[in-house]
């Protein structure tokens, strides 16, 4: 009755009650799929690897420099559940801003997608607290080593998790402890950090599932285009695990043509992104024959959406555009 509201409880619920739901990462070829049950096991393996190889034993900050994909979702659960703090770094910022944020947060570990190695290499030399980098994928980590020298140890994701136990004794953390950290650049001066507690993430996820929120259920498939480094992807990943809705992740394929292909192939019922994505997609749909019949509504936020865009989607493609409002600090 009086149980703490922890991210690990969201993970346990989704990976058992909704274990057959799936997260799908677009690759431009054959999509990569994981069931929520597999995400639960992968989160345990990652937690063991971070603890054994990177020394993450308390509330150390573990940063991600990643696209929306399967591995990022695994980190979303593993890091807070083990008692550490997930810090989502914004890949769109200038290198000096990325370095400032990482130093201010005192990040110890950075998880990076292989395609983003060149971007991180431009900032890693100035990240004074980072000691470990975990590369997701098969790219060459040499630029990172050259930029940071022997101060950091580079690990491969596959090596870090290989052979690790598929269960983890998630600690009973205080629900008011920090679970995740986002920095907002929508301020004067340097970006400001906002810490989300386990309790706030849990309650926000419940609200996202409510009918007056996004109304998620087990029959839904979310196309989560909004970046996972932008206000925790509006809470969609955690809400999916609570509700049993499946997730479709675009990875680096954010142009109109691949998004249209994702919609036709993976049949999302709901999607979320900023207005520029929908503006580009509308122009593509108007000029190409695409099956969008599964997509009933899209959530738009981040900036003001032109009413003409909302009317065009509804009238020409039968898709309702719902305007959301939020801010990183809230």
């Amino acid at each position: 009755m009086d149980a703490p509201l922890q991210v690990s409880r969201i993970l346990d619920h989704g990976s058992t009650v909704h274990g057959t739901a799936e997260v799908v990462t677009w690759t431009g070829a054959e999509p990569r799929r994981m069931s929520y049950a597999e995400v639960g096991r992968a989160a345990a393996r990652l937690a063991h690897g971070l603890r054994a190889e990177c020394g993450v034993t308390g509330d150390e900050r573990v940063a991600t420099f990643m696209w929306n994909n399967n591995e990022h979702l695994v980190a979303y659960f593993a890091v807070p559940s083990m008692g550490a703090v997930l810090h989502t770094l914004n890949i769109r910022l200038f290198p000096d801003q990325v370095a400032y944020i990482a130093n201010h947060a005192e990040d110890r570990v950075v998880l990076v997608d292989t395609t983003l190695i060149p971007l991180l290499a431009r900032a890693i030399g100035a990240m004074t607290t980072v000691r470990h980098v975990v590369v997701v994928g098969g790219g060459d980590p040499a630029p990172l080593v050259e930029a940071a020298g022997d101060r950091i140890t580079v690990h491969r994701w596959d090596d870090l998790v290989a052979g690790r136990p598929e269960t983890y004794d998630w600690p009973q953390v205080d629900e008011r402890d920090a679970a995740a950290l986002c920095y907002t650049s929508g301020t004067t001066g340097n970006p400001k950090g906002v810490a989300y507690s386990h309790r706030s993430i849990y309650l926000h996820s419940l609200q996202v599932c409510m009918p007056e929120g996004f109304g998620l259920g087990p029959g839904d498939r979310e196309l989560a285009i909004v970046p996972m480094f932008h206000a925790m992807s509006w809470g969609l990943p955690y809400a999916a695990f609570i509700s049993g809705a499946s997730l479709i992740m675009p990875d680096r394929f954010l142009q109109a043509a691949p998004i249209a292909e994702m919609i036709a192939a993976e049949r999302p019922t709901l999607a979320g992104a900023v207005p520029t994505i929908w503006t580009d997609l509308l122009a593509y749909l108007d000029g190409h024959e695409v099956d969008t019949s599964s997509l009933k509504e899209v959530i738009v936020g981040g900036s003001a959406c032109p009413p003409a865009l909302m009317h065009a989607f509804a009238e020409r493609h039968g898709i309702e555009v719902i305007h959301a409002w939020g801010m990183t600090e809230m």
Side-chain angles (χ1 to χ4, degrees):
M1 294 293 286
D2 188 21
L5 306 182
Q6 300 172 279
V7 170
S8 61
R9 292 184 178 275
I10 301 176
L11 173 61
D12 287 341
H13 177 79
S15 61
T16 54
V17 176
H18 302 300
T20 58
E22 65 175 358
V23 53
V24 181
T25 293
W26 197 253
T27 65
E30 185 67 24
R32 296 190 294 115
R33 302 177 186 274
M34 291 180 72
S35 70
Y36 283 5
E38 290 172 325
V39 171
R41 295 192 290 270
R45 290 196 297 268
L46 178 59
H48 282 291
L50 290 173
R51 183 171 186 176
E53 302 298 330
C54 303
V56 179
T57 57
D59 66 348
E60 289 92 352
R61 267 64 67 202
V62 177
T64 57
F65 200 74
M66 303 175 71
W67 303 104
N68 289 19
N69 53 38
N70 292 3
E71 291 80 9
H72 207 166
L73 182 67
V74 170
Y76 250 53
F77 284 104
V79 175
S81 294
M82 69 184 295
V85 180
L86 178 75
H87 177 200
T88 55
L89 286 168
N90 187 339
I91 66 175
R92 308 293 187 196
L93 297 180
F94 293 112
D96 59 339
Q97 289 180 306
V98 174
Y100 168 82
I101 291 169
N103 292 336
H104 190 268
E106 298 181 357
D107 292 335
R108 179 185 181 89
V109 183
V110 180
L111 313 180
V112 59
D113 279 323
T114 183
T115 57
L116 295 173
I117 286 176
L119 285 179
L120 183 61
R122 295 168 59 191
I124 193 71
M127 294 180 177
T128 58
T129 65
V130 173
R131 294 294 178 265
H132 300 268
V133 173
V134 180
V135 176
V136 181
D140 182 8
L144 296 172
V145 178
E146 292 170 6
D150 57 6
R151 178 172 52 81
I152 66 165
T153 302
V154 176
H155 309 265
R156 295 283 188 183
W157 173 285
D158 290 344
D159 295 336
L160 190 75
V161 302
R164 305 290 179 185
E166 294 186 341
T167 60
Y168 194 97
D169 187 14
W170 306 118
Q172 289 290 317
V173 300
D174 190 313
E175 65 176 16
R176 293 173 178 82
D177 285 350
L181 187 61
C182 281
Y183 278 71
T184 175
S185 53
T187 63
T188 56
N190 287 316
K192 308 298 191 296
V194 180
Y196 303 126
S197 69
H198 287 259
R199 178 182 175 85
S200 70
I201 287 176
Y202 200 109
L203 293 176
H204 181 267
S205 300
L206 292 175
Q207 190 277 333
V208 169
C209 297
M210 297 286 281
E212 74 272 21
F214 296 168
L216 296 177
D220 285 307
R221 294 175 66 82
E222 301 177 22
L223 175 55
I225 303 173
V226 55
M228 295 172 77
F229 56 75
H230 178 67
M232 307 303 292
S233 196
W234 301 346
L236 289 174
Y238 294 123
F241 259 65
I242 282 184
S243 67
S246 290
L247 281 164
I248 303 164
M249 298 296 200
D251 199 76
R252 65 189 185 278
F253 300 96
L254 302 175
Q255 299 75 32
I259 289 175
E261 192 176 353
M262 289 176 220
I263 293 171
E266 295 299 329
R267 311 285 295 166
T269 58
L270 174 80
V274 297
T276 53
I277 295 287
W278 302 125
T279 299
D280 292 344
L281 182 62
L282 177 64
Y284 186 88
L285 295 180
D286 285 346
H288 299 79
E289 190 70 29
V290 180
D291 182 3
T292 61
S293 58
S294 67
L295 188 59
K296 303 305 181 186
E297 61 186 37
V298 299
I299 310 299
V300 63
S303 61
C305 181
L309 180 66
M310 303 172 77
H311 289 302
F313 264 106
E315 295 165 6
R316 301 207 289 268
H317 301 285
I319 299 171
E320 183 180 10
V321 177
I322 299 176
H323 212 310
W325 181 90
M327 56 196 299
T328 305
E329 296 86 340
M330 297 183 67

